[in-house]
Amino acid sequence: MSEIKAVFRGADVRDEFLAVMSETFSQEAVERKRRAWDWLFKAPFRTETNPARVLTVERAGRLVGGVFLLPTEVTLDGVPTPAVLPIGNNIRPNDRGAGIVTLKTCFNLGHGGITVGLASSDRLSAVWTKLGAAESPPRALCRKLYRPGSFLALRGRLPRMLGGPLDAVFRLPLAIIGIMRPSPRKTERIVPIETFGPEFDTAWEAARPSVKCAISRTSAHLQWRHIESPFPAGRCLALYRDRKLAGYVAITIAPTGSGPAGRVTDIFAYTGTARDDGLLLAAAD
């Protein structure tokens, strides 16, 4: 069997990468990656030592897999740290050894920072498959996790007639929390965000020293992620207190079989208080 090697490529590898991706991902996922391709290469945290690039895995000159290496920045204990977020990882199923090469290369990039990953296992993969990961978008999977009764009934572990009542009991605390959400005071207001300007940098720099672990919320990152994205947030709202920026929330609205569904894709309260989080979540509703 020929040797497997890792090769760093640029935007020109798109069609080859997506062709391999189509063998293991849904067509919807492939098309989303196609739409996002050029945008990903404009990631604001990219540098000469940590560029946006694709790690491809090749055997005998043929691409058999790869992963997009998205440059980002993580603030750890108040300190900005360069990081890489591997996304769209895909390997041809019959090319043994290619996945190991990908992992080893990802964790030895030499970019002076960390590689952000998601812990996985065969057991975890089996759970997501049972939830319908092959044919359902992420938002549908999340909804199933909030309806344990329906899920257990679907798996045959609970009588169908008990599924609905169990779902209702599970959601009752969420309903109570919703009723108890705070209302804005006279000095507080929620306004739409059209662009993430310098005031977001000022607020982030003031909050950063107390941040334990988070993606750095610079204005350039927020503008790229929520405004310039090919899948922009449906609404971005800012919370002001005494005319000073106190937080923001981004909501994505997508059609579903039962009507439009909203999802909070990003939320950050610069004060770190539960009240400000509550005000932002209430505004998202």
Side-chain angles (χ1 to χ4, degrees), residues 240-254:
Y240 285 86
R241 178 177 296 108
D242 296 323
R243 299 184 179 181
K244 183 178 179 181
L245 181 64
Y248 72 87
V249 62
I251 313 104
T252 298
I253 303 171

Side-chain angles (χ1 to χ4, degrees), residues 128-180:
W128 283 109
T129 300
K130 289 178 181 178
L131 285 171
E135 66 276 358
S136 301
R139 57 181 176 274
L141 300 181
C142 291
R143 285 201 299 274
K144 290 181 181 179
L145 296 176
Y146 284 100
R147 295 189 175 106
S150 299
F151 178 66
L152 290 174
L154 181 66
R155 301 299 302 164
R157 299 182 180 181
L158 187 74
R160 190 174 295 274
M161 66 174 60
L162 296 179
L166 180 58
D167 289 343
V169 171
F170 186 81
R171 291 198 298 268
L172 183 60
L174 299 178
I176 295 174
I177 292 173
I179 295 173
M180 296 174 62

Side-chain angles (χ1 to χ4, degrees), residues 6-35:
V7 181
F8 292 108
R9 303 276 295 274
D12 61 299
V13 77
R14 185 193 69 178
D15 292 342
E16 292 178 79
F17 182 90
L18 295 180
V20 174
M21 187 177 177
S22 65
E23 297 182 23
T24 52
F25 283 75
S26 68
Q27 189 59 36
E28 178 188 2
V30 174
E31 288 307 312
R32 284 180 63 86
K33 191 65 80 257
R34 187 186 304 277
R35 286 180 58 189

Side-chain angles (χ1 to χ4, degrees), residues 36 55 61-62 69 77 85 94 98 109 120 127 129 136 138 169 176 183 188 193 200 209 256 265 271 284:
L55 169 62
R62 182 176 68 100
L69 302 178
D77 293 323
L85 177 62
N94 295 327
L109 291 172
S120 185
V127 170
T129 300
S136 301
V169 171
I176 295 174
S183 300
E188 299 167 336
I193 300 172
F200 286 87
T256 68
T265 53
T271 59

